Amino acid sequence: MKRLLTGLEAIARAAAEEGVLLVSGHGVRPVTALFEAARLEGLHVERAPSEKVALELAMGASLAGARAVAAVRSLAAVADPLHAMAYVGATGGLVVLALDDPGLALGPVEADSRALVRALELPWVEPSDAAECKDHLSAALALSEKWETPVVMRLTTRVALSGRPVPIGRGMAGRAAGLRRDRARRVLVPEHGERLRVRVKEMLAQVAAHGVESRLNRMEIRSHALGVVTSGATYHHVREALPDASVLKLGLFFPLPTDLVRDFAGRVERLVVVEELEPVIESEVRALGVACQGKDLLPRTGELGPDLLARALGAAAQQPRPAAVPPRPAEARAGCPHRGLMHAFKRLHVSVAGDPGCAAVGAAAPLSSIDSAVARGASIGIAQGAQAVLAERLRGRQLAVLGEDAFLHSGALALAHAATTGGGTVVVAQGSFPAYTGGLKADLSTLVRGLGASRLREVDALDLAGTEATLREELARPELSVVIARGRCPLMRHAPGPPLAIRAERCNRCGACLRLGCPAISDRLDAMTIDPSSCAGCGLCAQVCRAGAIQSDAGETARAAAARCVRELP
Amino acid sequence: MRAGVTSVVLAGVAGQPVLETAKVLAQAALLAGLDVSFSECPSPLACGGSVSAHVRFGEEVRSPLVGEGGADVLVGFEQLEALRAGRLLSPHGVAAVGERLVPTWRMRAGLEPAPDVIGRLRAVTPRVVSVPVEALVQPIGGERYVGLALLGLLSPLLPLPEGACLAALRASPGADLAARCMALARGRELFASLPERVAVATLHPLDIAGARR
């Protein structure tokens, strides 16, 4: 039987059929989609606060003799413990999914985790579609157990989110063999490390030899004029754009199956390596002394779709650029508490170190209140660093903001450090979308106090005046202070409040409500209007309207509506 | 594009069930015994932004992506996003677009006019229809059924057996199965009763097949 599954759904299905006992990951997209699929398959899912914890959970399961899968967006974030695990070695099959994002479909950073192949000393597999996701996960688990090593399975967003008919087999109950005492292997002290690193090198040589006859690698000889070495989603794009080319498809691409590559190179006149982002396979091929083309023809950024391949390697002509379409940047939904927070920041005229998560909605016009958003949980450290070099010039003029999930991911450590060095004002937004926080149970106030923050305040993010006043007070103080901004993500809000409306006779069209950037409010030619079907009734616009023109349909006054919205928060 | 492969692009804004509708179509193709490949192009953030999905089906499908000018059918959940996907539309393709335009902030603030979506799409292919589909699905349950109604409207044009989409819906039962089937059926009815317009007069299964040859 075949079922239509996406790459991540196919991985969850394979995990169920292969008796995987633990699926862990850090809750960012597309990992959240894996969680959903894994739960539907009845698998045990661990949503970890960070990539590192996710990986450690899976390592623990593997050392206890069970099969485990860990999923991370950034393999670089876990490079250190993962490399150590190469020495210790897996017991139960351990597969680490590295979810790269060429073309920036899901995030702001176009990292190629494959750039770490040499540093990590692990075997790497890469499937081309959902059917292969299932097949390659089974193969990777077997590989991991046979050579007692973690295996990295690299997926691009395209493969993770694309679907195909996938053959479905029978589920299998997994089991954990139990903990084994093997200190010479599992305790990484220098005298053990020296011996273990020789073992890792031997393992890699054996996997390279295995790669030559592995079913994951396959040679398809068609025309001899052009031979393409490729892996992942680009395999299908190559077959689409260059149907006559011979193809060496590498499903197990590192360590490179050298004999297979040499054999293939000998059969074609022109050899081109087609891979997205960095020339990783190309470098490995060149290191063999095999002449090839690759990044001299193809870009090092973005996704390599069939159009681009047909132009770069085939006969297709450049298409004229289509006329521009107005861009649609991400924006906070109606009712989003971040809108209140960002509006308050704007009124304070301070520099705001933010976070690439939800707070990033404050970067775009008209909220325009976030000045930097670098990495998850990084805002506190970045604000502290600026404070360290600018000292008095920044005192009371800078804020750090991040969501509770980012705070638990790594911001908390920066806060503990900030407590040792002195002041600063940190805003932690609570009540984010639960898919991202993973339903973490940490008690933020206790944690913040325990880490050494001298002051702790709480505000309702939708209460503009209260938030602004509290922040003003805290910015004026020299001590380290944390403000917890409570709110509730509109994505989880089932019944929105009654919609508000603008009374045209009172409206002076000053545009204050418009500058909240709420998707429900627009300036029609004749009047400012609130679209009742998209209004969440959060009351922010009523709070900024000085003319008192905004009230709910029920005839409530603006202030009463706003107050009720704030009261109803969790 | 490959011979014998039908390429469909669905486009909308974040929050609209673009992927869910694409999966219904993909399932319909699978039930018809065809090879199928679909791909989601999500919005980088959970809030706002564009979402699209590509569905390709036929005897043998390779890339899950529809290339520029390669879409036989465009299902526009929203006007601006339909226009954005217009670069994928084939000169022989058909587009059905809902009437709603979700304005960007610049449009809401009057800083930028809304583009002439239907006019610009008609420059690609004459076979573009703007459909009052929002009003159609209002009694069924509102906006989340827009995609299914459009799919129903276009279903007679797809090289799939009559009723394939309905069968696909039934294969994935949920709480609102009846409403979803209703949306599909209402869209299908609209195909027969569309006003007499040039674009519609040429909407015929043979035209798609002819264009592909």
Side-chain angles (χ1 to χ4, degrees), chain A residues 297-349:
Chain A
L297 303 171
L298 299 162
R300 288 172 81 136
T301 56
E303 199 178 3
L304 298 181
D307 287 332
L308 194 150
L309 290 176
R311 284 197 294 267
L313 301 174
Q318 184 77 39
Q319 297 269 340
R321 280 196 76 80
V325 178
R328 188 187 294 285
E331 65 182 358
R333 292 184 179 226
C336 175
H338 277 91
R339 177 172 288 109
L341 209 48
M342 298 303 147
H343 186 75
F345 292 168
K346 197 173 172 185
R347 290 180 51 89
L348 292 167
H349 298 289

Side-chain angles (χ1 to χ4, degrees), chain A residues 130-146:
Chain A
E132 284 192 3
C133 278
K134 179 156 181 279
D135 175 69
H136 285 26
L137 185 76
S138 309
L141 285 165
L143 206 69
S144 169
E145 280 164 4
K146 181 168 180 195

